[in-house]
Amino acid sequence: MEFMKKQMRINCMERGITNQFFVDDDYNVPDAKRDVSKIVMSKGEARVEKIEPLENYVRVTGNVYFQVLYVTEEGETKLTSLDGKCPFEEMIYVEEGIGEGIYAVRNLRTEFTVSMIHSRKLSIKAVVELEIGKEIEDTISLTTGIESEEPLYKKKKEYQLLQLHTGRRDTYRIKEEVTLPGTKENIGVILWTDVSNRKLDTKLEEDALCLLGELSIFCLYESPEGKMDWIEQGVSYEGRINSSGVEMNMYHYVTANLDEVHIEMRTDEDGEMRSIGIEGTLNLKISVYEEEEVEVIEDVYSLQHECDLKRQKVRSEELVLQNHSKCKVSEQLSVPELREDVLQICYNRGEVQVEKIEKGEQGIQIEGILHLQFLYVKESDDIPFDTWQGMIPFSYLIECDGMSDETIFDVNYGLEQLSVSMLGSGEVEVKAVLAFHSFIRHQLWQNIIVDIEKKPFDLEKIGKEPGVIGYIVKEGDELWDLAKKYRTTVERIQTANGLNGNEIKEGDKILIFKENMSIL
């Protein structure tokens, strides 16, 4: 007896582990920096740099990188900035043990605050929310055919299964340049920068993954004459990641994080400091799947002997939906404390925090908060800049029919567009577009036949059974099951009862003749 097998490569993503920890550290202002009088704006971001499994724990180490814009204390009131990092190490308990597989960060969010201890020391505090998950690449074996010397009756079923074609991590280097408009001052000293990946569209082509994105760039600087100015601009980029064997009709799921961003002043064609060079690394996790039609043997029997089937439970996946959708957020906020103070909003930044994500009958329900911060110019001549922070709740449904307990999904999200404008009378209008990329699958647990042991029939028992049986169909009955139980064939039952197909319904009366009575 020979078994024909279909080998399929799958990517199992186990349930994520969510952990929250605190980073609390004091930071001494470097000797080269002037004393701090007032903090105007700050931002901080945790970056995981190493994940190390240790028995029942996963050790996560990295740094919180931060930037602080502040007003100097001594002499003339001026804006300046500093940046630094605070290390962290966290031990995350894994209840079921480490086992095989690779742990990776799925979601990471940092809530950062900084305050003055005194003019030469800052208190750095960060709340880091971290989700890590284990990924296991495996190969399953499906039985698609059995060859035997004696006749075997086989029940087959067709599936549209997902097979992992490409699973890997890669990087793409972004190098762009921005030239200042003619109305802007020359660059003397860069005080504050912020670069975020606001848009990223991906598509598959032959042997490649194509990227089309946009960087949102803000740079606050001081001119050689001591004047404050800034530039805020979107910069498009596009690239190509070579991936052998990838085809346009395949499915893919990509997560991307912008890291190692570096901004520098550059001279233009006239030799003036009017250009800004931007370099960064886009860290990509790429999963490409192909959908295959596979016919699997689900059951077997023989009329010449008993078949004791040996089975193995395997997990496979069917695609439900690959979806790129957007949620629009529009809100008018009352900020009476800014009623008489704001001359112009010059910069805004936002961050999406998902608080709850769960599947329901209609799809995936997401509840979260859009954290908002903007820098504005005010009337004060001494300190002409200040910031405001707030938050806007949002709710969004990724629609998907056919959700069940066996439905699994991956969703990544980000801020695609954000605008903040003053309406007057202490009101601010916020408009944002949130992007959600989802990859929804249905898990299949199949008991695959891996071996068959032949056993002789109990001839004494069979001899006591009638050769013809009158049967009333019960709910859930199938012709295959009846043929196997009463040792005949589906075709024999169809012929004896004038059936054109396999459809039978509850209450039908049929006759079943045992096949090959000579075995008695």
Side-chain angles (χ1 to χ4, degrees), residues 185-352:
E185 298 285 340
N186 289 356
I187 302 172
V189 179
I190 293 178
L191 300 175
W192 178 275
T193 61
D194 187 35
V195 179
S196 58
N197 196 31
R198 284 280 175 89
K199 295 179 182 178
L200 178 61
D201 291 324
T202 59
K203 68 176 182 178
L204 297 178
E205 292 186 353
E206 297 298 321
D207 296 320
L209 171 72
C210 295
L211 311 173
L212 181 62
E214 182 180 287
L215 300 179
S216 176
I217 298 168
F218 175 78
C219 179
L220 177 69
Y221 63 92
E222 184 180 75
S223 72
E225 294 76 29
K227 296 181 181 179
M228 303 296 299
D229 209 342
W230 65 87
I231 180 173
E232 186 174 20
Q233 188 171 322
V235 178
S236 298
Y237 66 89
E238 58 182 303
R240 177 184 173 95
I241 304 292
N242 292 329
S243 188
S244 178
V246 166
E247 299 177 1
M248 295 176 62
N249 59 352
M250 292 181 179
Y251 302 94
H252 70 288
Y253 180 75
V254 176
T255 58
N257 295 299
L258 185 63
D259 200 0
E260 299 178 5
V261 177
H262 177 67
I263 289 182
E264 64 176 4
M265 300 182 296
R266 295 178 182 173
T267 56
D268 62 7
E269 295 177 352
D270 299 325
E272 297 181 319
M273 285 294 182
R274 298 192 59 81
S275 292
I276 300 174
I278 304 106
E279 294 188 10
T281 301
L282 205 59
N283 295 313
L284 302 164
K285 183 184 179 300
I286 304 169
S287 299
V288 180
Y289 298 84
E290 55 185 329
E291 197 171 33
E292 287 198 40
E293 186 176 286
V294 182
E295 190 176 60
V296 179
I297 294 181
E298 293 195 321
D299 201 3
V300 174
Y301 71 92
S302 171
L303 297 178
Q304 297 181 13
H305 52 75
E306 292 278 4
C307 292
D308 185 7
L309 306 181
K310 308 299 181 183
R311 296 180 180 269
Q312 181 179 1
K313 193 172 185 179
V314 301
R315 174 187 175 276
S316 55
E317 294 179 356
E318 290 179 312
L319 178 67
V320 177
L321 180 68
Q322 177 179 304
N323 179 270
H324 292 186
S325 57
K326 298 177 182 180
C327 170
K328 293 184 178 180
V329 177
S330 182
E331 193 80 22
Q332 291 186 7
L333 304 176
S334 178
V335 284
E337 67 272 23
L338 305 182
R339 187 186 303 271
E340 305 295 335
D341 206 24
V342 179
L343 295 178
Q344 181 182 359
I345 294 175
C346 58
Y347 156 71
N348 60 67
R349 67 189 305 263
E351 183 180 8
V352 179

Side-chain angles (χ1 to χ4, degrees), residues 476-490:
D477 280 342
E478 294 182 6
L479 287 184
W480 169 269
D481 298 322
L482 296 176
K484 181 180 179 181
K485 180 179 180 180
Y486 294 107
R487 282 179 289 280
T488 184
T489 67
V490 170

Side-chain angles (χ1 to χ4, degrees), residues 52-96:
E52 185 180 8
L54 298 170
E55 296 182 354
N56 276 71
Y57 289 86
V58 176
R59 181 163 62 193
V60 178
T61 55
N63 287 282
V64 175
Y65 293 86
F66 61 88
Q67 189 176 357
V68 179
L69 181 69
Y70 66 94
V71 179
T72 60
E73 184 177 65
E74 72 276 7
E76 181 185 358
T77 300
K78 295 185 66 175
L79 281 177
T80 189
S81 63
L82 60 84
D83 52 53
K85 64 181 180 180
C86 293
F88 64 81
E89 179 179 308
E90 182 72 8
M91 299 292 287
I92 301 175
Y93 179 68
V94 181
E95 186 174 351
E96 66 275 11

